[in-house]
Amino acid sequence: MLDIKITRTTTPKTKPADETKLGFGKISSDHMFLMDYSVEQGWHDPRIVPYAPFQLDPACVVFHYAQELFEGMKAYRTAEGQIQLFRPECNAQRMQDSSERLCIPTIPVEDYVQAVKALVEVDKDWVPYSYGASLYIRPFVIATDVGMGVHASHTYTFCIIAFPSGAYYAEGINPVRIYVEDEYIRAAPGLTGYTKCGGNYAASIKAGEVAAQKGFAQVLWLDGVERKYVEEVGAMNIFFKIDGKVYTAACTGTVLPGVTRRSCIELLRDWGYEVIEGKLAIADIMEASRNGKLEEVFGTGTAAVISPVKELCWKNESAFIGGGVIGPVTQKLYDVMTGIQWGKVADTKGWIVPVCEG
Ligand SMILES: *Cc1c(COP(=O)(O)O)cnc(C)c1O
């Protein structure tokens, strides 16, 4: 158990009145969680303080060599006024896995979950009220050693910030167009694809920009060796329903093991679908589309929950999916996942962790 010292702000901000205008990650809540690491003391001094800028030496390791990682999760308010989290221990475990790869000292799962809960409770008034809107939570760890040498830092700061965020689909669920990237890659065996480290995203921005200029919402990454097998989308895992079966890339080191991905696989299997985690060639997907067997395509991730795909464009050929309309399995996953998260559907899986009454 962490002994978290809480210092409340004396100048709370006014909360935005119109929840439909929140956007994503634009306005921070009033507080943040901090905890420091040193070799002598380990993780120490857990505290919640008013949200404020950091003061950091410009020579900090994080600024130059990107020894850093983050997580992304949400707090939800139910109609009954309970504030709750969705499988927070999965995020805590994933941060441990990311930490090992980046030589960052790990934080015990129970401490991570306690810290998130504590911040959400202090800032509970910042959890939005409308269905689909939530408090987006961003835990991250940065390396704070000062000096130009490339080495694992000896000091770190773990910080959690939170942002009230509007419903992702404020104007209804809109299926998206996706560009299959066949030049740039996001990950390769032995690299950091399975971690949520900032460097992965810095390296992916270019492809995203190019695709956006061509009118695509996201990039679909192919494997980094042969550029042949589908891996994932920007910040989402991706699923393909072909001839009744559901396919998604296996988490073998190059794909981010999404909590939403894992939960959707469990639900789909409960509902009797065969879900295959493995290699799926983009050429076979295009072939299935030509044969009318590409039934549904959707991305999964904490931000959007489920994002239906209406078009995949690969080497000047487009596969159009479901006539531009969300498919029945995609819709059911969306309804059940968001239903559990916002407390409208019974949580028979034990995925919900209550934080407090709000
Ligand atoms: C965060 C993320 C996901 C989705 O993970 P969730 O735990 O479902 O939010 C998928 N791919 C990438 C690259 C990500 O950064």
Side-chain angles (χ1 to χ4, degrees):
M1 272 286 269
L2 298 174
D3 183 14
I4 304 173
K5 190 170 162 256
I6 299 175
T7 310
R8 284 176 192 269
T9 180
T10 51
T11 52
K13 294 187 286 191
T14 25
K15 291 170 196 71
D18 186 352
E19 289 191 356
T20 63
K21 297 215 167 67
L22 284 173
F24 179 70
K26 288 198 207 143
I27 313 156
S28 69
S29 67
D30 273 330
H31 298 87
M32 61 185 181
F33 174 91
L34 291 171
M35 180 160 72
D36 300 314
Y37 178 90
S38 67
V39 174
E40 303 75 38
Q41 297 181 78
W43 286 109
H44 63 278
D45 197 12
R47 58 204 186 274
I48 289 173
V49 296
Y51 186 98
F54 288 152
Q55 228 180 18
L56 287 173
D57 192 296
C60 271
V61 169
V62 64
F63 293 139
H64 305 275
Y65 309 124
Q67 197 192 4
E68 181 270 357
L69 54 83
F70 66 94
E71 265 302 325
M73 49 202 299
K74 285 173 170 175
Y76 313 85
R77 185 191 296 271
T78 69
E80 290 72 39
Q82 173 168 276
I83 291 170
Q84 55 191 32
L85 303 171
F86 182 77
R87 309 188 82 177
E89 64 293 339
C90 294
N91 296 87
Q93 182 59 53
R94 183 169 68 194
M95 197 167 89
Q96 288 201 344
D97 299 341
S98 293
S99 299
E100 303 257 349
R101 179 64 179 81
L102 286 150
C103 297
I104 291 175
T106 56
I107 293 169
V109 168
E110 54 279 14
D111 291 355
Y112 173 103
V113 175
Q114 188 196 343
V116 171
K117 282 169 120 175
L119 179 67
V120 170
E121 185 156 7
V122 167
D123 276 340
K124 65 181 180 186
D125 294 345
W126 286 92
V127 183
Y129 288 78
S130 32
Y131 190 78
S134 60
L135 185 69
Y136 183 76
I137 303 163
R138 170 53 59 88
F140 62 103
V141 187
I142 54 171
T144 53
D145 268 13
V146 172
M148 290 292 110
V150 180
H151 64 270
S153 183
H154 302 97
T155 56
Y156 297 86
T157 296
F158 174 45
C159 178
I160 310 174
I161 48 182
F163 304 84
S165 295
Y168 196 88
Y169 295 111
E171 277 128 44
I173 305 190
N174 252 333
V176 294
R177 301 178 64 217
I178 286 191
Y179 181 76
V180 183
E181 176 59 55
D182 62 355
E183 182 188 354
Y184 302 113
I185 58 169
R186 191 195 88 95
L191 261 170
T192 52
Y194 66 99
T195 72
K196 255 179 145 56
C197 72
N200 287 345
Y201 303 84
S204 75
I205 287 172
K206 174 96 182 178
E209 294 282 303
V210 173
Q213 277 164 17
K214 295 180 188 157
F216 294 92
Q218 299 268 359
V219 163
L220 170 59
W221 299 103
L222 300 178
D223 75 279
V225 178
E226 297 178 78
R227 290 176 180 64
K228 206 169 148 187
Y229 303 103
V230 292
E231 295 213 314
E232 61 180 318
V233 195
M236 286 192 285
N237 298 105
I238 189 160
F239 289 71
F240 303 86
K241 182 161 172 279
I242 300 173
D243 205 12
K245 293 179 190 166
V246 183
Y247 298 81
T248 192
C251 291
T252 51
T254 52
V255 168
L256 201 287
V259 179
T260 321
R261 171 191 181 278
R262 171 174 169 178
S263 306
C264 287
I265 292 173
E266 287 180 46
L267 288 174
L268 287 165
R269 288 187 176 147
D270 287 355
W271 299 338
Y273 289 100
E274 189 178 337
V275 183
I276 299 138
E277 298 174 70
K279 284 187 168 183
L280 180 62
I282 183 66
D284 293 342
I285 294 171
M286 301 308 277
E287 178 66 15
S289 169
R290 275 180 233 116
N291 297 333
K293 298 203 160 153
L294 181 59
E295 293 152 357
E296 298 184 37
V297 180
F298 56 91
T300 65
T302 298
V305 192
I306 307 288
S307 176
V309 176
K310 67 176 177 191
E311 180 185 343
L312 289 171
C313 177
W314 181 53
K315 294 188 195 288
N316 299 324
E317 180 186 355
S318 273
F320 295 97
I321 304 123
V325 180
I326 184 170
V329 176
T330 310
Q331 182 74 55
K332 186 172 174 190
L333 276 172
Y334 180 80
D335 292 343
V336 173
M337 285 288 292
T338 57
I340 293 172
Q341 290 167 336
W342 274 271
K344 279 197 188 173
V345 169
D347 170 33
T348 56
K349 311 287 291 179
W351 286 343
I352 292 301
V353 172
V355 175
C356 58
E357 296 303 311

